[in-house]
Short mmCIF file of all heavy atoms in Angstrom, two decimals:
data_model
loop_
_atom_site.label_atom_id
_atom_site.label_comp_id
_atom_site.label_asym_id
_atom_site.label_seq_id
_atom_site.Cartn_x
_atom_site.Cartn_y
_atom_site.Cartn_z
N ASP A 22 1.84 -57.94 112.29
CA ASP A 22 1.76 -58.74 111.09
C ASP A 22 1.84 -57.75 109.84
O ASP A 22 0.92 -56.92 109.71
CB ASP A 22 0.51 -59.61 111.03
CG ASP A 22 0.44 -60.49 109.82
OD1 ASP A 22 1.14 -60.23 108.86
OD2 ASP A 22 -0.29 -61.50 109.88
N GLY A 23 2.80 -57.84 108.99
CA GLY A 23 3.00 -56.92 107.90
C GLY A 23 2.27 -57.38 106.62
O GLY A 23 2.49 -56.78 105.59
N THR A 24 1.49 -58.45 106.72
CA THR A 24 0.81 -58.89 105.45
C THR A 24 -0.63 -58.45 105.40
O THR A 24 -1.29 -58.68 104.42
CB THR A 24 0.86 -60.40 105.35
OG1 THR A 24 0.20 -61.06 106.47
CG2 THR A 24 2.25 -60.98 105.23
N ARG A 25 -1.13 -57.86 106.54
CA ARG A 25 -2.49 -57.41 106.46
C ARG A 25 -2.71 -56.18 107.33
O ARG A 25 -2.06 -56.04 108.35
CB ARG A 25 -3.47 -58.51 106.92
CG ARG A 25 -3.19 -59.06 108.36
CD ARG A 25 -4.10 -60.18 108.67
NE ARG A 25 -3.82 -61.31 107.73
CZ ARG A 25 -3.39 -62.53 108.16
NH1 ARG A 25 -3.23 -62.69 109.41
NH2 ARG A 25 -3.16 -63.45 107.27
N VAL A 26 -3.65 -55.31 106.94
CA VAL A 26 -3.96 -54.12 107.67
C VAL A 26 -4.66 -54.48 108.92
O VAL A 26 -5.64 -55.31 108.84
CB VAL A 26 -4.71 -53.13 106.86
CG1 VAL A 26 -5.02 -51.85 107.62
CG2 VAL A 26 -4.02 -52.83 105.56
N SER A 244 15.31 -47.48 108.00
CA SER A 244 14.16 -47.01 107.14
C SER A 244 14.30 -47.66 105.75
O SER A 244 13.27 -48.17 105.18
CB SER A 244 14.19 -45.51 107.01
OG SER A 244 13.94 -44.93 108.22
N THR A 245 15.42 -47.58 105.13
CA THR A 245 15.55 -48.06 103.76
C THR A 245 15.54 -49.59 103.69
O THR A 245 14.90 -50.17 102.83
CB THR A 245 16.82 -47.53 103.08
OG1 THR A 245 17.99 -47.84 103.87
CG2 THR A 245 16.76 -46.00 102.94
N SER A 246 16.21 -50.26 104.57
CA SER A 246 16.20 -51.73 104.53
C SER A 246 14.83 -52.24 104.95
O SER A 246 14.32 -53.25 104.38
CB SER A 246 17.33 -52.30 105.38
OG SER A 246 17.03 -52.12 106.80
N GLY A 247 14.17 -51.56 105.90
CA GLY A 247 12.86 -51.97 106.34
C GLY A 247 11.91 -51.81 105.21
O GLY A 247 11.03 -52.69 105.02
N PHE A 248 11.87 -50.66 104.56
CA PHE A 248 10.95 -50.47 103.44
C PHE A 248 11.19 -51.50 102.36
O PHE A 248 10.25 -52.14 101.84
CB PHE A 248 11.00 -49.02 102.88
CG PHE A 248 10.32 -48.97 101.51
CD1 PHE A 248 8.97 -49.20 101.48
CD2 PHE A 248 11.02 -48.69 100.39
CE1 PHE A 248 8.27 -49.15 100.22
CE2 PHE A 248 10.41 -48.60 99.18
CZ PHE A 248 8.98 -48.87 99.10
N LEU A 249 12.45 -51.73 101.98
CA LEU A 249 12.68 -52.61 100.97
C LEU A 249 12.25 -54.05 101.30
O LEU A 249 11.64 -54.76 100.44
CB LEU A 249 14.20 -52.72 100.61
CG LEU A 249 14.70 -53.64 99.60
CD1 LEU A 249 14.00 -53.42 98.20
CD2 LEU A 249 16.22 -53.53 99.38
N ALA A 250 12.51 -54.49 102.50
CA ALA A 250 11.98 -55.83 102.95
C ALA A 250 10.52 -55.88 102.86
O ALA A 250 9.91 -56.89 102.35
CB ALA A 250 12.46 -56.13 104.36
N MET A 251 9.78 -54.83 103.28
CA MET A 251 8.37 -54.89 103.24
C MET A 251 7.81 -54.70 101.83
O MET A 251 6.76 -55.24 101.53
CB MET A 251 7.80 -53.78 104.16
CG MET A 251 8.03 -54.10 105.60
SD MET A 251 7.26 -55.66 106.14
CE MET A 251 5.51 -55.18 106.02
N ALA A 252 8.49 -54.04 100.96
CA ALA A 252 8.09 -53.93 99.58
C ALA A 252 8.24 -55.31 98.96
O ALA A 252 7.32 -55.73 98.17
CB ALA A 252 9.00 -52.87 98.85
N LEU A 253 9.25 -56.04 99.28
CA LEU A 253 9.41 -57.40 98.78
C LEU A 253 8.28 -58.29 99.35
O LEU A 253 7.76 -59.16 98.65
CB LEU A 253 10.81 -57.90 99.09
CG LEU A 253 11.89 -57.29 98.25
CD1 LEU A 253 13.26 -57.51 98.88
CD2 LEU A 253 11.85 -57.85 96.87
N VAL A 254 8.01 -58.13 100.62
CA VAL A 254 6.89 -58.96 101.22
C VAL A 254 5.63 -58.72 100.43
O VAL A 254 4.89 -59.66 100.06
CB VAL A 254 6.71 -58.53 102.71
CG1 VAL A 254 5.35 -59.10 103.20
CG2 VAL A 254 7.84 -59.14 103.52
N TYR A 255 5.30 -57.42 100.14
CA TYR A 255 4.09 -57.07 99.43
C TYR A 255 4.14 -57.76 98.05
O TYR A 255 3.15 -58.40 97.63
CB TYR A 255 3.93 -55.61 99.28
CG TYR A 255 2.64 -55.22 98.62
CD1 TYR A 255 1.51 -54.98 99.33
CD2 TYR A 255 2.54 -55.14 97.17
CE1 TYR A 255 0.31 -54.71 98.75
CE2 TYR A 255 1.30 -54.89 96.53
CZ TYR A 255 0.20 -54.62 97.32
OH TYR A 255 -0.99 -54.36 96.72
N LEU A 256 5.16 -57.64 97.28
CA LEU A 256 5.28 -58.27 95.93
C LEU A 256 5.20 -59.73 95.99
O LEU A 256 4.59 -60.37 95.07
CB LEU A 256 6.52 -57.76 95.24
CG LEU A 256 6.59 -56.23 94.97
CD1 LEU A 256 7.97 -55.88 94.31
CD2 LEU A 256 5.48 -55.81 94.01
N THR A 258 3.67 -61.53 98.13
CA THR A 258 2.36 -61.99 98.53
C THR A 258 1.28 -61.42 97.59
O THR A 258 0.08 -61.70 97.79
CB THR A 258 2.01 -61.55 99.98
OG1 THR A 258 2.23 -60.16 100.12
CG2 THR A 258 2.98 -62.26 101.00
N HIS A 259 1.67 -60.68 96.58
CA HIS A 259 0.78 -60.10 95.56
C HIS A 259 1.40 -60.46 94.20
O HIS A 259 2.00 -59.54 93.57
CB HIS A 259 0.47 -58.68 95.74
CG HIS A 259 -0.25 -58.38 96.95
ND1 HIS A 259 0.38 -58.26 98.23
CD2 HIS A 259 -1.57 -58.08 97.20
CE1 HIS A 259 -0.52 -58.03 99.10
NE2 HIS A 259 -1.68 -57.87 98.57
N GLY A 276 6.11 -47.99 90.50
CA GLY A 276 5.79 -49.05 91.40
C GLY A 276 6.33 -48.84 92.81
O GLY A 276 5.66 -49.09 93.85
N VAL A 277 7.52 -48.25 92.89
CA VAL A 277 8.13 -47.96 94.26
C VAL A 277 7.19 -46.89 94.92
O VAL A 277 6.94 -47.09 96.12
CB VAL A 277 9.54 -47.33 94.12
CG1 VAL A 277 9.98 -46.74 95.36
CG2 VAL A 277 10.53 -48.51 93.72
N GLU A 278 6.62 -45.92 94.22
CA GLU A 278 5.82 -44.94 94.89
C GLU A 278 4.58 -45.59 95.45
O GLU A 278 4.12 -45.31 96.56
CB GLU A 278 5.42 -43.84 93.91
CG GLU A 278 5.15 -42.46 94.55
CD GLU A 278 6.35 -41.90 95.32
OE1 GLU A 278 7.42 -41.86 94.72
OE2 GLU A 278 6.15 -41.51 96.44
N GLU A 279 3.89 -46.45 94.67
CA GLU A 279 2.76 -47.17 95.14
C GLU A 279 3.10 -48.14 96.23
O GLU A 279 2.27 -48.29 97.19
CB GLU A 279 2.07 -47.88 93.95
CG GLU A 279 0.77 -48.53 94.26
CD GLU A 279 -0.46 -47.61 94.44
OE1 GLU A 279 -0.18 -46.37 94.75
OE2 GLU A 279 -1.54 -48.01 94.35
N LEU A 280 4.27 -48.72 96.24
CA LEU A 280 4.66 -49.60 97.33
C LEU A 280 4.85 -48.81 98.62
O LEU A 280 4.56 -49.25 99.71
CB LEU A 280 5.91 -50.37 96.94
CG LEU A 280 5.78 -51.53 95.99
CD1 LEU A 280 7.16 -51.96 95.37
CD2 LEU A 280 5.06 -52.68 96.63
N LEU A 281 5.36 -47.59 98.47
CA LEU A 281 5.50 -46.71 99.64
C LEU A 281 4.09 -46.48 100.26
O LEU A 281 3.99 -46.34 101.48
CB LEU A 281 6.12 -45.41 99.28
CG LEU A 281 7.65 -45.46 99.09
CD1 LEU A 281 8.15 -44.18 98.32
CD2 LEU A 281 8.31 -45.49 100.46
N ARG A 282 3.13 -46.35 99.42
CA ARG A 282 1.75 -46.08 99.89
C ARG A 282 1.13 -47.32 100.56
O ARG A 282 0.52 -47.23 101.64
CB ARG A 282 0.85 -45.61 98.79
CG ARG A 282 -0.54 -45.13 99.29
CD ARG A 282 -1.47 -44.77 98.11
NE ARG A 282 -1.83 -46.00 97.31
CZ ARG A 282 -2.78 -46.80 97.66
NH1 ARG A 282 -3.53 -46.64 98.69
NH2 ARG A 282 -3.07 -47.76 96.80
N VAL A 283 1.19 -48.49 99.97
CA VAL A 283 0.47 -49.67 100.43
C VAL A 283 1.15 -50.57 101.38
O VAL A 283 0.55 -51.31 102.07
CB VAL A 283 -0.02 -50.53 99.17
CG1 VAL A 283 -0.89 -49.74 98.24
CG2 VAL A 283 1.14 -51.12 98.40
N ASN A 284 2.47 -50.48 101.47
CA ASN A 284 3.16 -51.42 102.35
C ASN A 284 3.04 -50.97 103.78
O ASN A 284 2.75 -49.81 104.09
CB ASN A 284 4.63 -51.62 101.94
CG ASN A 284 5.55 -50.69 102.70
OD1 ASN A 284 6.14 -51.05 103.69
ND2 ASN A 284 5.70 -49.44 102.16
N LEU A 285 3.26 -51.85 104.70
CA LEU A 285 2.94 -51.63 106.14
C LEU A 285 4.23 -51.58 106.99
O LEU A 285 4.28 -52.07 108.08
CB LEU A 285 2.05 -52.70 106.65
CG LEU A 285 0.70 -52.83 105.93
CD1 LEU A 285 -0.12 -54.01 106.54
CD2 LEU A 285 -0.14 -51.55 106.04
N SER A 286 5.25 -50.93 106.45
CA SER A 286 6.61 -50.95 107.14
C SER A 286 6.66 -50.07 108.41
O SER A 286 7.39 -50.36 109.27
CB SER A 286 7.70 -50.49 106.18
OG SER A 286 7.52 -49.12 105.79
N ILE A 287 5.76 -49.07 108.47
CA ILE A 287 5.74 -48.20 109.71
C ILE A 287 4.92 -48.90 110.77
O ILE A 287 3.76 -48.99 110.68
CB ILE A 287 5.20 -46.81 109.38
CG1 ILE A 287 6.14 -46.13 108.26
CG2 ILE A 287 5.17 -45.95 110.61
CD1 ILE A 287 5.61 -44.78 107.85
N GLY A 288 5.65 -49.46 111.71
CA GLY A 288 4.99 -50.35 112.69
C GLY A 288 4.20 -49.67 113.80
O GLY A 288 3.37 -50.32 114.42
N VAL A 316 0.08 -43.73 109.91
CA VAL A 316 0.35 -43.66 108.53
C VAL A 316 -0.42 -44.55 107.67
O VAL A 316 -0.85 -44.17 106.54
CB VAL A 316 1.91 -43.69 108.27
CG1 VAL A 316 2.24 -43.74 106.84
CG2 VAL A 316 2.63 -42.54 108.99
N GLU A 317 -0.53 -45.81 108.12
CA GLU A 317 -1.27 -46.78 107.28
C GLU A 317 -2.78 -46.39 107.21
O GLU A 317 -3.43 -46.72 106.16
CB GLU A 317 -1.13 -48.14 107.80
CG GLU A 317 -1.65 -48.36 109.22
CD GLU A 317 -1.04 -49.49 109.94
OE1 GLU A 317 0.18 -49.81 109.74
OE2 GLU A 317 -1.76 -50.17 110.71
N GLY A 318 -3.33 -45.78 108.29
CA GLY A 318 -4.70 -45.24 108.16
C GLY A 318 -4.78 -44.20 107.00
O GLY A 318 -5.69 -44.24 106.26
N ASN A 320 -2.69 -43.58 104.49
CA ASN A 320 -2.28 -44.07 103.13
C ASN A 320 -3.35 -45.00 102.52
O ASN A 320 -3.32 -45.14 101.23
CB ASN A 320 -0.94 -44.75 103.21
CG ASN A 320 0.21 -43.85 103.40
OD1 ASN A 320 0.16 -42.65 103.27
ND2 ASN A 320 1.41 -44.45 103.65
N LEU A 321 -4.17 -45.56 103.32
CA LEU A 321 -5.25 -46.42 102.80
C LEU A 321 -6.63 -45.79 102.98
O LEU A 321 -7.61 -46.57 103.08
CB LEU A 321 -5.09 -47.80 103.53
CG LEU A 321 -3.78 -48.55 103.20
CD1 LEU A 321 -3.61 -49.77 104.10
CD2 LEU A 321 -3.71 -48.92 101.78
N PRO A 329 -8.38 -48.07 97.91
CA PRO A 329 -7.00 -47.94 98.38
C PRO A 329 -6.11 -49.17 98.43
O PRO A 329 -4.92 -49.06 98.46
CB PRO A 329 -7.27 -47.30 99.79
CG PRO A 329 -8.61 -47.86 100.24
CD PRO A 329 -9.38 -47.84 98.92
N HIS A 330 -6.78 -50.36 98.50
CA HIS A 330 -6.03 -51.58 98.62
C HIS A 330 -5.56 -52.08 97.21
O HIS A 330 -4.86 -53.06 97.17
CB HIS A 330 -6.84 -52.63 99.33
CG HIS A 330 -7.14 -52.28 100.78
ND1 HIS A 330 -6.17 -52.35 101.78
CD2 HIS A 330 -8.20 -51.67 101.29
CE1 HIS A 330 -6.70 -51.93 102.90
NE2 HIS A 330 -7.93 -51.52 102.65
N PHE A 332 -3.36 -52.08 93.98
CA PHE A 332 -2.05 -51.68 93.58
C PHE A 332 -2.13 -51.03 92.16
O PHE A 332 -2.37 -51.69 91.22
CB PHE A 332 -1.01 -52.88 93.49
CG PHE A 332 0.38 -52.49 93.22
CD1 PHE A 332 1.21 -51.97 94.19
CD2 PHE A 332 0.93 -52.74 91.95
CE1 PHE A 332 2.54 -51.66 93.90
CE2 PHE A 332 2.25 -52.45 91.66
CZ PHE A 332 3.00 -51.88 92.64
N HIS A 342 1.10 -39.78 99.56
CA HIS A 342 1.17 -40.64 100.78
C HIS A 342 1.98 -39.99 101.86
O HIS A 342 2.83 -39.12 101.61
CB HIS A 342 1.77 -42.06 100.41
CG HIS A 342 3.14 -41.97 99.91
ND1 HIS A 342 4.20 -41.83 100.76
CD2 HIS A 342 3.68 -42.08 98.68
CE1 HIS A 342 5.36 -41.81 100.05
NE2 HIS A 342 5.06 -41.95 98.78
N LEU A 343 1.86 -40.51 103.09
CA LEU A 343 2.53 -39.87 104.21
C LEU A 343 3.67 -40.77 104.74
O LEU A 343 4.11 -40.63 105.84
CB LEU A 343 1.53 -39.59 105.33
CG LEU A 343 0.38 -38.61 104.95
CD1 LEU A 343 -0.51 -38.38 106.16
CD2 LEU A 343 0.93 -37.30 104.37
N SER A 344 4.13 -41.64 103.93
CA SER A 344 5.18 -42.58 104.39
C SER A 344 6.50 -41.92 104.74
O SER A 344 7.37 -42.51 105.45
CB SER A 344 5.42 -43.71 103.39
OG SER A 344 4.31 -44.50 103.19
N PHE A 345 6.75 -40.72 104.22
CA PHE A 345 7.87 -39.91 104.53
C PHE A 345 7.59 -38.89 105.55
O PHE A 345 8.37 -37.93 105.71
CB PHE A 345 8.52 -39.33 103.31
CG PHE A 345 9.19 -40.32 102.37
CD1 PHE A 345 8.81 -40.40 101.06
CD2 PHE A 345 10.18 -41.13 102.84
CE1 PHE A 345 9.37 -41.29 100.20
CE2 PHE A 345 10.77 -42.03 101.94
CZ PHE A 345 10.41 -42.13 100.65
N TRP A 387 6.97 -62.29 112.58
CA TRP A 387 7.15 -60.82 112.61
C TRP A 387 7.72 -60.29 113.89
O TRP A 387 7.37 -60.78 115.01
CB TRP A 387 5.75 -60.21 112.40
CG TRP A 387 5.21 -60.60 111.04
CD1 TRP A 387 4.42 -61.62 110.73
CD2 TRP A 387 5.54 -59.92 109.84
NE1 TRP A 387 4.22 -61.64 109.34
CE2 TRP A 387 4.87 -60.58 108.76
CE3 TRP A 387 6.30 -58.72 109.50
CZ2 TRP A 387 4.97 -60.20 107.46
CZ3 TRP A 387 6.43 -58.35 108.23
CH2 TRP A 387 5.76 -59.05 107.22
N LYS A 393 9.64 -50.47 113.18
CA LYS A 393 9.26 -50.90 111.86
C LYS A 393 8.65 -52.33 111.88
O LYS A 393 9.08 -53.12 112.68
CB LYS A 393 10.50 -50.92 110.94
CG LYS A 393 11.21 -49.53 110.70
CD LYS A 393 10.35 -48.63 109.92
CE LYS A 393 11.03 -47.32 109.68
NZ LYS A 393 10.22 -46.36 108.93
N ARG A 394 7.67 -52.52 111.00
CA ARG A 394 7.23 -53.93 110.81
C ARG A 394 8.24 -54.56 109.86
O ARG A 394 8.46 -54.12 108.71
CB ARG A 394 5.83 -53.96 110.15
CG ARG A 394 4.71 -53.69 111.05
CD ARG A 394 3.42 -54.09 110.43
NE ARG A 394 2.24 -53.72 111.20
CZ ARG A 394 1.50 -52.63 111.04
NH1 ARG A 394 1.92 -51.80 110.14
NH2 ARG A 394 0.51 -52.43 111.79
N ILE A 395 8.86 -55.64 110.32
CA ILE A 395 9.78 -56.39 109.45
C ILE A 395 9.60 -57.85 109.83
O ILE A 395 9.37 -58.25 110.96
CB ILE A 395 11.24 -55.95 109.61
CG1 ILE A 395 11.66 -55.99 111.07
CG2 ILE A 395 11.50 -54.61 108.90
CD1 ILE A 395 13.16 -55.75 111.19
#
Side-chain angles (χ1 to χ4, degrees):
D22 185 340
T24 61
R25 58 183 65 117
V26 183
S244 296
T245 55
S246 69
F248 166 64
L249 179 57
M251 290 299 293
L253 287 162
V254 167
Y255 184 91
L256 293 176
T258 55
H259 295 79
V277 166
E278 206 64 47
E279 185 71 340
L280 286 166
L281 281 162
R282 186 185 69 81
V283 299
N284 93 94
L285 302 176
S286 65
I287 300 177
V316 172
E317 63 204 35
N320 286 352
L321 297 170
H330 296 280
F332 186 78
H342 64 76
L343 301 183
S344 296
F345 289 124
W387 294 94
K393 299 289 181 182
R394 281 195 187 94
I395 52 171

